[in-house]
Amino acid sequence: MAVTQQLARIPAEYLSSCRRSAGESPDGDPRWDPPQADVLDLDWAPSLLERVCVLGGLDGVHLDALRQALTGDPAVDLGFLNTHPHAIGPFGPDPTALSAAEVAHVSELLGQIDFPALLATLPTDEAEAATLIGNDAEGIAGGPRKYLLGHFDALRAFYRDASRRRLLVVLWWD
């Protein structure tokens, strides 16, 4: 099974409740179970999305926002979500999160990125584009453009909805 990046939109109160549950449970069970409609599976697209943005010459402010959207804030202590036997991200680093204010900021900047224009800077030949992107992009069925555009659009819509609803975003690898 491949390790993929997961994101969940949740209210701050839900995260507090999970923290309390983990502290009160004899085996550290946080009772983490966000609604499926508020979970996004980014597959293994994050590094590929970042690479296209770098290759396309995306400016530092927007590139930093994309990176923050994909990595969260490592200073946020969510280790309680990664305690055996209830770890939500047993194959990667501890989960991270972005506050509702950070989500709003990231959402605004993601909304300003013209991802199709960044993809247009790649060679027109899919095989050449995949080789330039690297990270096994050549293994993507149908080529990387459609795959990455779909994942970028999903990421942007996910953050836009989280911002609109004033939710925070938790990120982990599973």
Side-chain angles (χ1 to χ4, degrees), residues 48-60 63 113-123 132-133:
L48 302 175
L49 292 171
E50 182 178 346
R51 178 75 173 139
V52 166
C53 290
V54 169
L55 291 170
L58 186 64
D59 66 89
L63 185 57
I113 296 174
D114 185 351
F115 200 74
L118 295 169
L119 288 171
T121 67
L122 298 173
L132 187 61
I133 294 168

Side-chain angles (χ1 to χ4, degrees), residues 48 51-52 55 118-140 142-146 148:
L48 302 175
R51 178 75 173 139
V52 166
L55 291 170
L118 295 169
L119 288 171
T121 67
L122 298 173
T124 54
D125 179 76
E126 286 287 343
E128 287 180 45
T131 299
L132 187 61
I133 294 168
N135 294 316
D136 296 323
E138 59 277 353
I140 299 172
R145 281 183 176 79
K146 181 178 178 183
L148 292 172

Side-chain angles (χ1 to χ4, degrees), residues 87-170:
I88 67 169
F91 305 110
D94 281 345
T96 61
L98 291 176
S99 69
E102 291 169 317
V103 166
H105 179 71
V106 164
S107 175
E108 179 181 339
L109 292 172
L110 288 177
Q112 297 168 5
I113 296 174
D114 185 351
F115 200 74
L118 295 169
L119 288 171
T121 67
L122 298 173
T124 54
D125 179 76
E126 286 287 343
E128 287 180 45
T131 299
L132 187 61
I133 294 168
N135 294 316
D136 296 323
E138 59 277 353
I140 299 172
R145 281 183 176 79
K146 181 178 178 183
Y147 172 86
L148 292 172
L149 181 59
H151 282 79
F152 181 81
D153 287 346
L155 179 69
R156 180 174 25 212
F158 187 84
Y159 270 93
R160 183 176 42 242
D161 187 60
S163 176
R164 180 186 59 77
R165 295 166 54 198
R166 294 185 171 93
L167 299 175
L168 52 90
V169 172
V170 173

Side-chain angles (χ1 to χ4, degrees), residues 44-101:
W44 48 280
S47 64
L48 302 175
L49 292 171
E50 182 178 346
R51 178 75 173 139
V52 166
C53 290
V54 169
L55 291 170
L58 186 64
D59 66 89
V61 170
H62 290 90
L63 185 57
D64 287 346
L66 175 71
R67 287 176 175 147
Q68 190 176 23
L70 298 171
T71 61
D73 181 354
V76 177
D77 177 18
L78 295 183
F80 72 93
L81 289 175
N82 227 22
T83 303
H84 181 75
H86 305 286
I88 67 169
F91 305 110
D94 281 345
T96 61
L98 291 176
S99 69

Side-chain angles (χ1 to χ4, degrees), residues 3-4 6 32 81-83 86-95 171-174:
V3 176
T4 62
Q6 308 292 310
W32 174 260
L81 289 175
N82 227 22
T83 303
H86 305 286
I88 67 169
F91 305 110
D94 281 345
L171 304 94
W172 71 98
W173 287 87
D174 184 22

Side-chain angles (χ1 to χ4, degrees), residues 27-52:
D27 64 353
D29 185 358
R31 294 188 177 85
W32 174 260
D33 190 22
Q36 277 306 115
D38 285 318
V39 174
L40 174 64
D41 182 345
L42 273 184
D43 199 29
W44 48 280
S47 64
L48 302 175
L49 292 171
E50 182 178 346
R51 178 75 173 139
V52 166

